Amino acid sequence: MQPVPVLARYSGVRDATQLLVAGLEAEDMVIQTMPDVSPTKWHLAHTTWFWETFLLRPYLPGYREFSSQFNYLFNSYYNQIGARHARDERGFLSRPTLDDVLAYRVHVDEAMSRLLAIDHGAQNTALRQLVELGLAHEEQHQELILTDIKHVLSHHPFAPAAFAGPAGGAGEADAGPCNWIGFDGGVVEVGADEDRFHFDNEGPRHQAILTPFALADRLVTNRDYLAFVEDGGYRSAGLWLSDGWAQVEALGWTSPLYWRKCDGRWEEFTLHGQQALDPDMPVIHLSYYEASAFAEWSGARLPDEREWEHGAATRRSVDGRLCRPGQSAHPAVTPAHRAGGAGPRQMFGDAWEWTRSAYSPYPRYRPAPGAVGEYNGKFMCGQFVLRGGSCATAPGHVRTTYRNFFPPATRWQFSGVRLAKDI
Amino acid sequence: MQPVPVLARYSGVRDATQLLVAGLEAEDMVIQTMPDVSPTKWHLAHTTWFWETFLLRPYLPGYREFSSQFNYLFNSYYNQIGARHARDERGFLSRPTLDDVLAYRVHVDEAMSRLLAIDHGAQNTALRQLVELGLAHEEQHQELILTDIKHVLSHHPFAPAAFAGPAGGAGEADAGPCNWIGFDGGVVEVGADEDRFHFDNEGPRHQAILTPFALADRLVTNRDYLAFVEDGGYRSAGLWLSDGWAQVEALGWTSPLYWRKCDGRWEEFTLHGQQALDPDMPVIHLSYYEASAFAEWSGARLPDEREWEHGAATRRSVDGRLCRPGQSAHPAVTPAHRAGGAGPRQMFGDAWEWTRSAYSPYPRYRPAPGAVGEYNGKFMCGQFVLRGGSCATAPGHVRTTYRNFFPPATRWQFSGVRLAKDI
Amino acid sequence: MQPVPVLARYSGVRDATQLLVAGLEAEDMVIQTMPDVSPTKWHLAHTTWFWETFLLRPYLPGYREFSSQFNYLFNSYYNQIGARHARDERGFLSRPTLDDVLAYRVHVDEAMSRLLAIDHGAQNTALRQLVELGLAHEEQHQELILTDIKHVLSHHPFAPAAFAGPAGGAGEADAGPCNWIGFDGGVVEVGADEDRFHFDNEGPRHQAILTPFALADRLVTNRDYLAFVEDGGYRSAGLWLSDGWAQVEALGWTSPLYWRKCDGRWEEFTLHGQQALDPDMPVIHLSYYEASAFAEWSGARLPDEREWEHGAATRRSVDGRLCRPGQSAHPAVTPAHRAGGAGPRQMFGDAWEWTRSAYSPYPRYRPAPGAVGEYNGKFMCGQFVLRGGSCATAPGHVRTTYRNFFPPATRWQFSGVRLAKDI
Amino acid sequence: MQPVPVLARYSGVRDATQLLVAGLEAEDMVIQTMPDVSPTKWHLAHTTWFWETFLLRPYLPGYREFSSQFNYLFNSYYNQIGARHARDERGFLSRPTLDDVLAYRVHVDEAMSRLLAIDHGAQNTALRQLVELGLAHEEQHQELILTDIKHVLSHHPFAPAAFAGPAGGAGEADAGPCNWIGFDGGVVEVGADEDRFHFDNEGPRHQAILTPFALADRLVTNRDYLAFVEDGGYRSAGLWLSDGWAQVEALGWTSPLYWRKCDGRWEEFTLHGQQALDPDMPVIHLSYYEASAFAEWSGARLPDEREWEHGAATRRSVDGRLCRPGQSAHPAVTPAHRAGGAGPRQMFGDAWEWTRSAYSPYPRYRPAPGAVGEYNGKFMCGQFVLRGGSCATAPGHVRTTYRNFFPPATRWQFSGVRLAKDI
């Protein structure tokens, strides 16, 4: 099979971004419901700014910037690129309007098509790597667009749906029992090879020692988690990490982020609106604290990220329920039985899996030079690694060595849990 | 002169509301920059809800509500009308969209025209009073639309203008010196008569005793206030009320809300964008604390509200710079000399004038029965009275007995100061 | 009767201060439980600093200050006296120790006795006025010592008593029914005469117009207030001022500050420890918001401060339950029937009475010159007037014209309520 | 050499605790300056409660508790032991007084001497382990007593000293240059053996793979760190972890916790009072963020905790500047040259060394059963490991495998930094 030409891939990713927001109103795209959430409009502009800043400005001769104000407005966190607008005030940006942002996208896409048609000689490799980074970056924001608009709509008193119609997969199957798959451990290799695209935090590839362990062969379901809730999980301090219990008490958590009990029945807010809780679906929108407490209650633990990676390497392909906008069904998790094949199921897609590994540098890790070096390294503190992608992750984005990371109180991502244990 | 027919007056006020927002983008109208500020879209809907709730529902047979959700979304603070959306989350209301809200306005206007064409017999008087209240209410929100959108746009890093073109009146004249006008005091009558429309807080009319006093014959100007700033007014604890000084220290105030010093020159954010500070214009966007400290520094004091009312009664008409959208100039203050006639100038329009009177009930005051009784009485605590209207107040809205009120830290209103003293 | 010689009065007040704290541990006197509360040790030192600063330093030749650090540590809020320690960090002052503070008191008392033995000639009058101010100041802090230590001890999980033995008066009598006493109003005189000691905020004496009104002839009792609580008073938004309801919701108020329901029975924390609620006692530790909501629920209102003063002028003497430490009973309220005589009972002592008057300057009020001018005027914003003194007020301290003042959310003072109405 | 008999060891540790506080006033011991800090009195009681709860109650027949209230007051965080007083309100505990707490210590010490004189037969081993835990626990609180009282005294405006006289070691020597000591890495063993006392978080002993690295042969000094400060380290976002930079901006950090610049010269608050900054002393009171930024600025990094442990294993003994109260000098750091011997110097004592290792469970770690299992495991989230002890650590307390841990913003501990790098 021959590689997709880079311009086609560029266009495919850019189009996918806009497909995601096709059903939203201009007014939906302005709102920021918490500092972690960015308005849809901001994502549409920021991803465009990334191409303009790291590709067009340095590499396209004669490129004319769309607006002199956008570098200030749409730089996310790159200190080396200059001053920028405060993150928690993105919801105050009435201007540029959605129409202006869409025009900005057209302007940059047109320039990118010119850039990618040129032979850059000795710079071809560097440029190709930046394009790969830009594509991966835009795919990450595709997922954030979904998690952020879900948060925004959930704060509306009447909880409107982002997507019309029912979610794909609901009510069609049962998840079945959960089984353990054992691994011997020993000296293993983890981390990314140098010869294909990956983020700097995935390398260098290195050896690690694992003691014998087992992984659950599917994700924890709503049914599993409901048993924890109904057994008083949220009232039992002894199950929780100290910080987690403090959070439970301070914020009054009694269930996952989007669960609500209405007239005695559990419902869940989804991108397709408020729905009855489907017990066979993977539980999502858990914090690390909840994942850890659930594992403790289950007599198990969370996997180490190296265990997860070692287990995932037994899968032949990165298969699973990922995000394919414009196709029959919109982002939603699915029951485990749909993911077939040997070894643990649901390793990719459906829900990001919390590991018990703090997000730390691998041995001999050094950040990339320049502003793109701010991408990962400076966040290696206070966060935990998640693995495997979710139903909101773009196909082709995730891989065995991929390390996602969030602070332990994070709940607005599509984050779930797979159990592990020592054997 | 014969009274304007009520339907024409209704249409005039409703149209004026929409004229105010004609230059705004849909995205501008969603944003809430602090709990006191409501999105423009919310104001457009809330004023409409007021007509629906207090007029159409009880009085128009067969009236069909536009949406069953709007009573929850657009009730501001009427506990008797039922549960309502949290005030500080109005900026999360992406839906209804602006288009939906405009359709709501059309729906209600059409019904109101039917209601006002009917002879209601014995109910005519009650209805007429409610219409007057609704018109006054909508006019109040016209002013809030302006003060709120000014706050919203000021939080944008590039400070866009709400209105194109220059503000009316700028740079055309000088304010001239400030003179004192003396009053003998004695037993005076203040408060509103029963026989024309007024808010319940303006009555009952009653006697009060005033000792001899003088009022300044014009508002304090930017030039006057700048002398205070440059004399270290914001660094001199002894000039300030204790609460005011705490505020200055906590928030780092060094000038009125919308002043900024750029490259050594003072500028002011206005509804027409960022502009050089005009020294002849009345100073606006002062808190009570700043008004009080300025008065102390001036060797004077703020007027008592009864002194102000007694002084205003010497004017023959409610003249001054009020808000006339769609006419040549948009809301902006003007220098004092434009306001002519005998007695103190600028008593009406330009800037609300802080008085030193805490907002309290007049003797024998009782709130109106029913939900409209929540309009005023429950706010009689922790606020100060302002008098005279501003350049953002609708013509015909303000009168000699009119009592506006805000907490002493409030700065986002068009609030200024007139000095007074004992003689 | 001849006036008490000033040195004896000085010694009497100073001794009374120390009598109040005789039962406390050194450790009790260090603690600050909220910014409004000062540690006992701080009060003992601050009152001493007042004498040193305003009397000894300017008037006693050769006076040697006790410590060069104390001006910084024990200045409360006098900006003109210089920099000072942050109010909300008084609980961090381990040093000086209690023993050091007691030695400071001895040092200053000894110097004061020398000062008061000297004939100061032309300065005698000024000095005498400052001594009166110092005595009144120390008496105010005597009351604060009691309210503050009550707050401190109430935050201990086992709620220890400040004073051994039962409170005086408990369980001995019933309060009896509440009756109305009518007043005609008209032009009345209020405020203090120049010829005897008073705080500057009590003057100038001036005329006011009152319309006919009635005052309740006793304070509201725990029994009265309990009926409000049990009728859902704390759940009925319509009874509350807007700010008050916000406070109820934010802080979860369900009863007066020191009430607690234990095993279905109401108890009250007192300076004598946790006790069963006595229904005949005046209700105390109410905020203005609660006083106002109770009055609304009762179909009455709070008195205007001028009404209260006019009513109090009908009493022949300032009689009532005030604070007499060292005598048979410690500070505690008493039932109404103990206070006899004509006119309204319990006007003085027992509980400070919230009026509906915002704390504002009287006509032609000017603060005293110099640092003592910071005593009152700068607080005339955001507070309400209370009248009549409490069971923690020193005898001889309060008078008919006396204006106490606190912000409306204040509950840790001995504050109660007397009803009023228009007639 | 024969082991110290356990009762003598018990008495030695208990006496050392009281020696530490001999110079403090009762009032010093009540104060809590932030939630992380406990009052000295609380430490004195809590350590005593630990013996009472885990040793005397279960093992000494007929033991009579000192007070029924103390289990509530002095339980720190053991959920299994029952309800407890809020951590951030320990500064409100005026009672029990210091005298009461000292009597509590005598009561428990007397009972412990009886308990330790008994032969418990089959329970001897369990008991011995609990005694070791109790001793280690009390030693940990000895260090906290010092770090906490340092914080308390530093908040006094006149910064009093905890200990009279000069700190030992000041000004006597220079630290000399810093050299690198290389290590080959490979498969190494880390963690504690089962056969001697250690905390559960130090085990199980396990294999790890290290790549070649070097450790600095001494701690970073004030001189080293001052160069970072003066080079604009606190203003260079690019040197900092993202969370660290947020902290710098939010709290305005410009130097280590106890440094202050007075009249152009750097001073440092110590337990011996305010002193000129000694450039040869190890820098202390750094957060993880500051340690990390300094390492980045130095072109180095922080050690992994396994690297540190591997390097420390080259030392023959746990030597260094630890806390020996009652001896010639009180807790203070010393220059590096005093610590001699082969391999890296200052590995033990002087300052806890931040590692870049998040505090995580070792492979196959399980918390101890029962309430003592709450000692470590529930804190394995959001913290970083520090190694090697400080000048405030009891001799005999620390060891090669010892893992201390604190959140990355922590600065009030005696925390410093040793550099590492890949080779």
Side-chain angles (χ1 to χ4, degrees), chain A residues 10-20 105 109 138 142 325:
Chain A
Y10 173 86
S11 301
V13 169
R14 295 284 285 170
D15 291 351
T17 303
Q18 286 185 228
L19 260 178
L20 285 179
R105 290 183 70 90
D109 286 349
E138 181 128 0
Q142 288 171 4

Side-chain angles (χ1 to χ4, degrees), chain B residues 279-414:
Chain B
D280 287 293
M281 294 294 190
V283 62
I284 48 176
H285 298 296
L286 296 186
S287 64
Y288 178 78
Y289 300 131
E290 289 161 300
S292 163
F294 175 81
E296 182 74 19
W297 175 82
S298 304
R301 61 169 172 83
L302 300 179
D304 183 283
E305 67 166 315
R306 286 159 294 232
E307 292 171 346
W308 189 97
E309 186 169 328
H310 184 61
T314 64
R315 303 288 307 177
R316 257 200 314 251
S317 65
V318 177
D319 51 353
R321 174 71 177 191
L322 296 153
C323 179
R324 293 179 169 82
Q327 296 195 6
S328 58
H330 287 296
V333 290
T334 45
H337 80 133
R338 302 203 148 201
R345 296 169 294 160
Q346 290 181 306
M347 293 295 277
F348 298 100
D350 285 308
W352 288 101
E353 305 179 20
W354 285 110
T355 73
R356 75 169 181 187
S357 299
Y359 179 47
S360 303
Y362 281 163
R364 311 187 85 76
Y365 166 78
R366 293 301 293 165
V372 297
E374 298 188 46
Y375 210 97
N376 281 304
K378 74 181 182 184
F379 300 109
M380 289 178 174
C381 174
Q383 313 210 25
F384 281 84
V385 173
L386 302 99
R387 294 291 196 124
S390 82
C391 60
T393 306
H397 181 72
V398 81
R399 59 200 150 260
T400 307
T401 59
Y402 195 98
R403 306 172 82 197
N404 199 357
F405 51 90
F406 280 98
T410 305
R411 309 214 295 173
W412 98 111
Q413 294 298 302
F414 289 89

Side-chain angles (χ1 to χ4, degrees), chain A residues 79 187 207-209 211-212 237 240-243 289 296 356 358 361 364 366 377-381 384 408 422-423, chain D residues 79 187 207-209 211-212 237 240-243 289 296 356 358 361 364 366 377-381 384 408 422-423:
Chain A
N79 292 307
V187 174
Q207 290 188 317
I209 298 178
T211 61
W240 295 76
L241 288 161
S242 182
D243 285 358
Y289 300 130
E296 184 72 21
R356 75 169 181 186
R364 312 188 86 76
R366 290 303 290 165
K378 74 180 181 186
F379 300 109
M380 289 178 173
C381 174
F384 282 84
D422 296 317
I423 55 177
Chain D
N79 291 306
V187 174
Q207 290 188 316
I209 298 179
T211 61
W240 294 78
L241 289 162
S242 182
D243 285 357
Y289 299 131
E296 183 74 20
R356 74 169 182 187
R364 311 187 86 75
R366 292 301 292 166
K378 74 181 181 186
F379 300 109
M380 290 179 173
C381 174
F384 282 84
D422 296 318
I423 55 175

Side-chain angles (χ1 to χ4, degrees), chain D residues 3 7 22 27 77 82 90 141 269 321 329 363 371 415 418:
Chain D
L7 179 56
E27 284 93 335
Y77 55 66
R90 289 177 187 165
H141 281 275
F269 177 69
R321 174 71 176 190
S415 47
R418 176 187 305 277

Side-chain angles (χ1 to χ4, degrees), chain C residues 303-350:
Chain C
D304 183 283
E305 68 166 315
R306 287 159 293 231
E307 293 171 345
W308 189 96
E309 186 170 327
H310 185 61
T314 62
R315 303 289 306 176
R316 257 198 315 247
S317 66
V318 177
D319 51 352
R321 175 70 176 190
L322 296 153
C323 178
R324 292 178 170 82
Q327 294 195 8
S328 57
H330 287 295
V333 290
T334 44
H337 80 134
R338 302 203 148 202
R345 295 168 294 160
Q346 289 181 306
M347 293 295 277
F348 299 101
D350 285 307

Side-chain angles (χ1 to χ4, degrees), chain D residues 276-289:
Chain D
L277 188 71
D278 186 330
D280 287 292
M281 294 294 190
V283 62
I284 48 176
H285 298 296
L286 296 186
S287 65
Y288 178 78
Y289 299 131

Side-chain angles (χ1 to χ4, degrees), chain D residues 32-311:
Chain D
Q32 177 173 42
T33 38
M34 65 170 176
D36 287 338
V37 159
S38 296
T40 311
K41 200 174 67 173
W42 187 92
H43 285 297
L44 294 177
H46 164 69
T47 47
T48 306
W49 166 88
F50 192 96
W51 296 110
E52 188 175 57
T53 301
F54 293 110
L55 277 294
L56 295 176
R57 249 188 267 262
Y59 293 104
L60 181 62
Y63 174 72
R64 184 183 48 79
E65 70 181 0
F66 184 79
S67 162
S68 60
Q69 299 181 337
F70 285 12
N71 193 47
Y72 182 85
L73 295 179
F74 299 120
N75 177 2
S76 53
Y77 55 66
Y78 298 87
N79 291 306
Q80 298 184 36
I81 302 297
R84 61 184 183 276
H85 190 239
R87 182 181 187 181
D88 57 356
E89 298 193 354
R90 289 177 187 165
F92 297 165
L93 295 177
S94 55
R95 322 277 177 94
T97 63
L98 176 61
D99 285 345
D100 294 337
V101 168
L102 294 178
Y104 179 37
R105 290 183 70 91
V106 168
H107 175 88
V108 161
D109 286 350
E110 185 274 336
M112 281 298 298
S113 73
R114 280 187 284 132
L115 177 77
L116 296 180
I118 301 171
D119 186 332
H120 298 269
Q123 290 188 316
N124 271 343
T125 304
L127 203 89
R128 169 61 84 114
Q129 284 171 346
L130 281 169
V131 170
E132 291 295 340
L133 183 64
L135 292 171
H137 174 261
E138 180 127 1
E139 286 170 345
Q140 289 181 313
H141 281 275
Q142 287 171 4
E143 180 148 4
L144 291 173
I145 283 172
L146 292 170
T147 56
D148 290 2
I149 197 69
K150 187 169 182 177
H151 196 264
V152 167
L153 295 174
S154 79
H155 272 64
H156 191 287
F158 298 111
F163 299 111
E172 297 175 22
D174 75 288
C178 180
N179 299 302
W180 292 106
I181 300 180
F183 297 88
D184 292 337
V187 174
V188 302
E189 291 231 325
V190 292
D193 285 325
E194 281 310 302
D195 58 0
R196 44 170 244 173
F197 174 77
H198 58 83
F199 288 118
D200 63 1
N201 65 3
E202 297 173 56
R205 190 159 176 86
H206 62 284
Q207 290 188 316
I209 298 179
L210 300 180
T211 61
F213 68 98
L215 294 178
D217 77 332
R218 65 156 170 77
L219 295 172
V220 171
T221 62
N222 285 333
R223 180 182 289 110
D224 300 334
Y225 198 82
L226 191 54
F228 164 75
V229 172
E230 294 183 342
D231 192 40
Y234 282 87
R235 297 187 304 273
S236 304
L239 299 171
W240 294 78
L241 289 162
S242 182
D243 285 357
W245 184 245
Q247 192 86 347
V248 167
E249 291 201 308
L251 302 186
W253 287 354
T254 58
S255 71
L257 176 57
Y258 292 125
W259 290 21
R260 269 168 239 175
K261 204 164 194 174
C262 305
D263 302 327
R265 291 171 52 250
W266 282 103
E267 295 185 358
E268 184 176 23
F269 177 69
T270 76
L271 286 167
H272 300 78
Q274 192 81 4
Q275 304 193 338
L277 188 71
D278 186 330
D280 287 292
M281 294 294 190
V283 62
I284 48 176
H285 298 296
L286 296 186
S287 65
Y288 178 78
Y289 299 131
E290 290 162 299
S292 164
F294 175 81
E296 183 74 20
W297 175 82
S298 304
R301 61 170 171 80
L302 301 179
D304 184 283
E305 68 166 316
R306 287 160 293 231
E307 293 171 345
W308 190 96
E309 186 168 328
H310 185 59

Side-chain angles (χ1 to χ4, degrees), chain A residues 50-51 53-60 112 115 127 130-131:
Chain A
F50 192 97
W51 296 109
T53 301
F54 293 109
L55 276 295
L56 295 175
R57 248 189 267 261
Y59 293 102
L60 182 62
M112 281 298 299
L115 177 78
L127 204 90
L130 280 170
V131 171

